[in-house]
Amino acid sequence: EENELNRVPGPPKWPIIGSALSFLGLSQSEMFDKLLELRLKYGNRFVIKVLNRYILHVYNVEDIETVLTHSRNIKKNKPYMFIEPWLGTGLLISTGAKWNKRRKILTPTFHFDILQCFMEVFEEQSRNLVKELKKQVSEGSDVVDVSPLISDFTLYTICETAMGVRLDSDKTEAKLKYKDAVLEIGKLVMERLVTIWLHNDFIFSLHPLGKKFAKCLENVHSFADSVIKERSMSYESRGEDFNEKANSRRRALLDLLLEARIRNEIDLEGIREEVNTFMFEGHDTTATALTFGLMLLADHPDVQESIFDECKAILGDSDRSPSGSELNEMKYLDAVIKEMLRLYPSVPFIGREIVEDFMLGDTKVAKGNEVIVHIFYMQQREDLYPEPKAFKPERFLNGEKRHPFSYVPFSAGPRNCIGQRFAKMEMKSVISEIIRNFKLEPTQKGARPTLIADLVLRTTEPIYVKFVKR
Ligand code: HEM
């Protein structure tokens, strides 16, 4: 039976190698552009064939809805296997019964009440970040490379909330090594993706890139292991007290896992998988969103003033931090964050390997094929968002009707982002704190960085923002 995807347009599908030549040796930014070019050339559904794999790329809202809401096609596609040595089959990568069970164990961590308890940490870390920025500004370094500073903030926050561990100064070196290794892993994985002979695990392990990868794994894993060790020790020493109400703030995701281990629902290897998964997903995605977000704000003083006014209306002249419910009242800031994630969704595309045949309109997508959902480009379609490149938070304020799947920065359906409410609260906390203390200015008005395809959306050059004290 012919594979119906063979009939879908796309770059030439040569025997054996398929379309691989179109991608050979592309840099990460060329790769990003290539996907746009192919869409312009072949339309909102096209197929890339790599060796014997058919990979269907979709940009239509209806197609995206069909793919994301399928209850059994929840398996991640092949490239996710390249990060499996790092994250294991934790929540992001696992599938079937294992995924189901883990999602059940972990869901309570993101319950509304627990998020309220995390507020204290968001607040403290937001204040620390502002303090650090003030220090830099008073020393004359008012133009800041935002990404490293922001990713410190999100890493401290995820470690203290989800892992129950504070990153004190004695961990500075391990933290830096961890962050460098995460960046390096992204580059290595993308390079491997466009170099098909390195898809083979054995060849990769012998290649210099594979050796570098192994070194990075040591660094990320040893950081995660030290966090687990520290938390297990305090968990054991607290004994029965641990569940008392007074300690509830401290009951982090890692504690749920340690408790599940006592009930034999997860083993130590399983805990490592989830700690590695959440440490990465919980810090890098949010840092990316905030970095692009600050860049957009710097370019839009009017939006900054509206955020400032909203904060003032809710908090008056007080300089205390907003509570969880006050953050919930900040509807304008909500719309700002939505618009940031429309233009710069931290995860620009996601992939599935099809395990059960399904129909996409009149095209059968058979078991074994792969589908890529293009969040980034779909959210910039002119027919969905007039003036798609413009940063206009009002889009999300005036009750405009739009298809629910035309906005999916956190994905949707059964495998949506488990941390989305966490991320939004964290972003609101830190953006409001920054805007209450600074006016942001661009170094070059209207400039937009070159984007690259990586584990999350990144740029070829650092993003600089000028901070001026209010
Ligand atoms: C602005 C910030 C964030 C964005 C844009 C984002 C986006 C996403 C997206 C698109 C997915 C689906 C990925 C895929 O199918 O491959 C996802 C999954 C996931 N996210 Fe997030 N995320 C964010 C923040 C967070 C945070 C703060 C956490 C943890 C505290 C987190 C934990 C996860 C996990 C564990 C998954 C896998 C869920 C599953 O498959 O069951 N994310 N996220």
Side-chain angles (χ1 to χ4, degrees), residues 164-178:
V165 167
R166 276 184 86 98
L167 291 188
D168 292 328
S169 52
D170 61 321
K171 302 199 188 71
T172 305
E173 199 184 319
K175 173 203 80 183
L176 284 175
K177 271 193 174 166
Y178 173 80

Side-chain angles (χ1 to χ4, degrees), residues 412-427:
R415 287 216 84 155
N416 68 352
C417 175
I418 198 173
Q420 61 179 290
R421 280 194 300 182
F422 179 106
K424 281 190 206 154
M425 289 288 266
E426 181 180 5
M427 288 178 73

Side-chain angles (χ1 to χ4, degrees), residues 218-344:
E218 270 175 35
N219 288 339
V220 286
H221 285 157
S222 75
F223 184 64
D225 285 344
S226 69
V227 165
I228 298 174
K229 194 167 160 212
E230 182 171 335
R231 193 62 189 165
S232 313
M233 280 181 352
S234 74
Y235 183 84
E236 277 155 22
S237 69
R238 281 173 195 227
E240 292 192 354
D241 282 351
F242 203 75
N243 288 327
E244 278 178 15
K245 205 157 190 277
N247 286 326
S248 67
R249 179 171 97 81
R250 294 255 151 253
R251 276 182 83 238
L253 167 135
L254 182 48
D255 301 327
L256 280 182
L257 294 170
L258 293 169
E259 282 161 22
R261 188 178 173 201
I262 294 171
R263 296 193 303 271
N264 278 326
E265 287 171 9
I266 194 167
D267 57 12
L268 187 59
E269 199 41 44
I271 293 181
R272 292 182 79 215
E273 290 175 340
E274 299 307 347
V275 165
N276 278 294
T277 297
F278 278 81
M279 191 103 91
F280 163 62
E281 277 286 311
H283 104 273
D284 213 359
T285 46
T286 318
T288 301
L290 284 166
T291 300
F292 285 107
L294 295 183
M295 173 194 82
L296 289 165
L297 287 178
D299 244 354
H300 292 84
D302 51 327
V303 176
Q304 293 181 48
E305 286 322 291
S306 302
I307 297 173
F308 187 78
D309 292 345
E310 183 173 70
C311 291
K312 222 170 158 103
I314 292 171
L315 296 161
D317 287 327
S318 147
D319 69 351
R320 69 179 173 83
S321 300
S323 66
S325 63
E326 283 164 337
L327 283 186
N328 282 330
E329 280 175 49
M330 296 184 184
K331 300 293 174 211
Y332 182 75
L333 185 51
D334 248 347
V336 170
I337 290 171
K338 276 195 178 139
E339 180 69 343
M340 288 171 172
L341 287 168
R342 179 187 71 82
L343 279 169
Y344 295 101

Side-chain angles (χ1 to χ4, degrees), residues 58 181-182 209 227 236 274 324 337 339 355 371 375 402 416-417 432 438 441 451 457 468:
V58 296
V182 169
L209 290 186
V227 165
E236 277 155 22
E274 299 307 347
I337 290 171
E339 180 69 343
V355 296
V371 180
I375 302 174
R402 60 172 68 84
N416 68 352
C417 175
S432 60
F438 296 98
E441 292 172 10
L451 300 175
L457 201 59
V468 181

Side-chain angles (χ1 to χ4, degrees), residues 55-92:
I55 307 163
L56 173 66
H57 291 246
V58 296
Y59 298 77
N60 280 321
V61 176
E62 294 75 18
D63 287 351
I64 290 176
E65 173 168 18
T66 309
V67 173
L68 294 183
T69 53
H70 199 289
S71 59
R72 287 166 307 278
N73 278 322
I74 56 165
K75 187 172 177 195
K76 300 299 171 77
N77 70 339
K78 292 257 158 50
Y80 287 81
M81 279 166 54
F82 297 157
I83 50 173
E84 204 179 302
W86 170 22
L87 305 181
T89 41
L91 198 63
L92 180 72

